[in-house]
Amino acid sequence: MTGVDPVTLEVVRNATAATAEEMNAALVRTGYSPNIKERRDCSTAVFDADGEMINQAETMPVHLGAMPFSVAAATDAFPADTLVPGDAILLNDPFRGGAHLPDLTLVSPVFRDDSVVAFVANRAHHADVGGASAGSVAADTTEIYQEGLRIPPVKLYAGGDRNDDVFEVILANTRTPDERRGDLRAQAAANETGRARLQALFDRHGDATTRAAFTELKDYAERRMREELAALPDGTYRFEDVLDDDGRGTTDLPVVATVTIAEDAVTVDFTGTADQVPGPVNAVRAVTASATYFAVRAVTDPDIPPNHGCYRPITIETPAGSLVDADPPAAVVGGNLETSQRVTDVVLGAFADAAPDRVPAAGQGTMNNLTVGGTDPRDGSPYAFYETQAGGFGARPTADGMDAVHVHMSNTRNTPVEVLETAYPLRVERYALRPDSAGAGRYRGGLGLRRDIRVRDHDATVSLLADRHRHAPYGLDGGAPGATGAAVHHQDGETTAVPAKTTLTLAPGDVLSVQTPGGGGYGDPADRDPAAIAADLRAGVITRARVRSVYGRDPDALPAPED
């Protein structure tokens, strides 16, 4: 114990959480692109003087578990004794603390007198950072040089002054410089908010007490995590699943997690996972660690303070040069998006044997990344639209899965139809839940959705980077798998199936229909309450034919709705 009284400790804990949340609110409020303002594809966190995370906003799991790697890379490049007030370090290099190139991380020191006492950081997904395809999320890249501008740790602001040379390099390498300029300024504003709040916290409690509270918060989180792990049965638990393919012809890529619980610690070993592949689904270690931390926290107690301390009892082993720890110059844009989801699936699947009452069936297991780019016929300017699509959440041991939500490592919102159609020369033709996509069980999985987008008055390049089109999300305890995803190209009255990972050109009037997977079911479908089946039938969740084929029941014999 550090000697900080419990009341002060709780005040500091909540103050740092509020700081991170206010930073995120500032980033969303001042962001320029729909990707930040509407989808909220961004995250914020607070770190101590050693670069260890103290607290975070509850935003994007795939960002937050990986952000400490970015802060470490920033402070390695610029040690604290070389920094001055007003500095801000930018980076996105996946092999130097980043995750994938569209995620730009900004790290700022917080000073008291002449000493760094903390850091604040935020990460935002920029809708275009250059590369071969608009949106910088292409399904056909084979090396990182094709994926966009790669930024090692560099000062974007020095002593409060913007580094215009760095700014201009970034803007010259994107199709949408006005968006990038606005979103980078929003990131700087968010960190300024964090700096001001932390300086006020140190003013209120003093340097010694606040530093001691940071230390105790980490120690407290570690104790809580160790208590949770100690309550699980010791043993070794293994689970394996696959990615459909890498988009370059390599199929059925195994991702293997062996979870060993020993007293109050856990080791997660990914030995047996596929070697890195030509296509863009390779993940760097930071991404794999982020997904693993998320899964362990979800299975133990999500209310444990999310800081460096709660990760201390977790050891992660990743084979170098593998799908979950790729070496440069591997293409990695989809590792952050798709492989992170499969890492979560296998770690949770392994824990299902140790703690079956805490683990849901598999969710959709993909982010369904869609990018559309071209020249906007309304004003002749380039545009780049990017979004991820929601799908089914897995059924839980005591409840159905949620319909059409962003699952596990993704926690964004959608792009509202009105915003999409105003900002881009596109039209949403259909946006609906997918009947019969939920995995059957005592509790059913969540429904996937269908989103049809029409290209208006111009040729557009479209890239789809998705998964679970061949291998369905798994059920648990006898539950059935969720439906696989699909994509269809509609052109001149003809329909063509589209692979999960593809880049294609759409002509004016063409429609791309993205249909996302459903969540897996939990428990034997024969045990499902007939009233719940009847309610699903009335709501259009399930068709009469599926009531017969999956649940073995006569739709006309189901209970009538209650008055």
Side-chain angles (χ1 to χ4, degrees), residues 47-64:
F47 298 78
D48 66 13
D50 296 323
E52 295 186 346
M53 190 161 65
I54 298 300
N55 225 318
Q56 64 185 38
E58 296 294 339
T59 48
M60 289 285 289
V62 75
H63 289 172
L64 293 164

Side-chain angles (χ1 to χ4, degrees), residues 213-286:
F214 285 178
T215 298
E216 175 54 23
L217 283 173
K218 293 184 291 184
D219 292 344
Y220 170 71
E222 179 182 2
R223 291 194 300 272
R224 289 274 304 274
M225 178 60 76
R226 290 192 183 280
E227 289 171 0
E228 290 288 328
L229 292 171
L232 298 174
D234 284 0
T236 297
Y237 310 92
R238 184 181 184 277
F239 197 87
E240 179 176 344
D241 204 340
V242 296
L243 286 169
D244 289 347
D245 64 282
D246 73 337
R248 303 291 299 185
T250 309
T251 60
D252 299 344
L253 307 173
V255 180
V256 180
T258 302
V259 172
T260 301
I261 302 170
E263 298 180 347
D264 63 353
V266 62
T267 298
V268 183
D269 185 354
F270 291 93
T271 298
T273 295
D275 292 339
Q276 66 187 69
V277 292
V281 296
N282 303 290
V284 295
R285 179 176 165 82

Side-chain angles (χ1 to χ4, degrees), residues 54-105:
I54 298 300
N55 225 318
Q56 64 185 38
E58 296 294 339
T59 48
M60 289 285 289
V62 75
H63 289 172
L64 293 164
M67 208 184 298
F69 292 81
S70 295
V71 174
T75 55
D76 284 347
F78 298 97
D81 59 4
T82 70
L83 298 172
V84 298
D87 284 353
I89 304 161
L90 182 74
L91 71 150
N92 75 344
D93 187 348
F95 302 105
R96 292 186 67 181
H100 67 173
L101 297 182
D103 282 344
L104 270 59
T105 302

Side-chain angles (χ1 to χ4, degrees), residues 90-395:
L90 182 74
L91 71 150
N92 75 344
D93 187 348
F95 302 105
R96 292 186 67 181
H100 67 173
L101 297 182
D103 282 344
L104 270 59
T105 302
L106 193 67
V107 181
S108 302
V110 179
F111 276 82
R112 294 277 290 175
D113 298 325
D114 295 325
S115 298
V116 174
V117 293
F119 292 90
V120 290
N122 69 72
R123 175 171 289 179
H125 184 119
H126 286 249
D128 187 90
V129 291
S133 297
S136 310
V137 181
D140 55 359
T141 55
T142 57
E143 56 183 4
I144 195 169
Y145 310 115
Q146 300 167 316
E147 295 186 331
L149 181 64
R150 186 173 166 194
I151 307 169
V154 62
K155 286 189 181 181
L156 186 66
Y157 289 84
D161 295 325
R162 192 177 73 187
N163 187 334
D164 288 330
D165 292 339
V166 172
F167 237 88
E168 291 306 314
V169 167
I170 295 170
L171 300 183
N173 282 277
T174 175
R175 298 166 179 84
T176 50
D178 288 343
E179 276 194 0
R180 304 292 67 73
R181 182 185 293 109
D183 286 346
L184 283 169
R185 287 174 173 173
Q187 289 187 259
N191 277 8
E192 287 304 309
T193 298
R195 279 204 265 213
R197 297 298 175 265
L198 287 185
Q199 286 166 342
L201 183 67
F202 275 89
D203 285 342
R204 179 178 180 182
H205 297 287
D207 289 13
T209 297
T210 307
R211 285 175 179 268
F214 285 178
T215 298
E216 175 54 23
L217 283 173
K218 293 184 291 184
D219 292 344
Y220 170 71
E222 179 182 2
R223 291 194 300 272
R224 289 274 304 274
M225 178 60 76
R226 290 192 183 280
E227 289 171 0
E228 290 288 328
L229 292 171
L232 298 174
D234 284 0
T236 297
Y237 310 92
R238 184 181 184 277
F239 197 87
E240 179 176 344
D241 204 340
V242 296
L243 286 169
D244 289 347
D245 64 282
D246 73 337
R248 303 291 299 185
T250 309
T251 60
D252 299 344
L253 307 173
V255 180
V256 180
T258 302
V259 172
T260 301
I261 302 170
E263 298 180 347
D264 63 353
V266 62
T267 298
V268 183
D269 185 354
F270 291 93
T271 298
T273 295
D275 292 339
Q276 66 187 69
V277 292
V281 296
N282 303 290
V284 295
R285 179 176 165 82
V287 168
T288 301
S290 183
T292 303
Y293 292 150
F294 165 81
V296 175
R297 287 194 66 226
V299 169
T300 51
D301 183 354
D303 289 331
I304 296 173
N307 63 41
H308 178 82
C310 76
Y311 300 150
R312 289 174 184 160
I314 306 169
T315 299
I316 301 170
E317 297 178 357
T318 53
S322 70
L323 194 65
V324 294
D325 189 355
D327 292 327
V332 299
V333 67
N336 184 67
L337 303 164
E338 298 301 305
T339 306
S340 67
Q341 295 282 51
R342 199 64 69 253
V343 168
T344 306
D345 286 339
V346 297
V347 176
L348 289 176
F351 270 107
D353 285 338
D357 59 331
R358 300 188 183 189
V359 177
Q364 66 162 337
T366 174
M367 296 191 195
N368 304 293
N369 306 271
L370 178 67
T371 59
V372 185
T375 299
D376 192 330
R378 297 172 296 183
D379 59 11
S381 65
Y383 76 92
F385 165 67
Y386 168 78
E387 72 172 354
T388 56
Q389 309 280 349
F393 195 91

Side-chain angles (χ1 to χ4, degrees), residues 494-516:
E494 301 290 330
T495 60
T496 306
V498 173
K501 299 173 184 68
T502 191
T503 299
L504 68 159
T505 299
L506 299 188
D510 286 5
V511 173
L512 183 69
S513 174
V514 178
Q515 299 164 30
T516 68

Side-chain angles (χ1 to χ4, degrees), residues 540-563:
V541 170
I542 191 170
T543 61
R544 293 172 64 86
R546 191 165 169 84
V547 169
R548 293 189 179 94
S549 63
V550 173
Y551 290 104
R553 295 180 180 273
D554 178 359
D556 295 322
L558 293 172
E562 295 182 3
D563 293 332

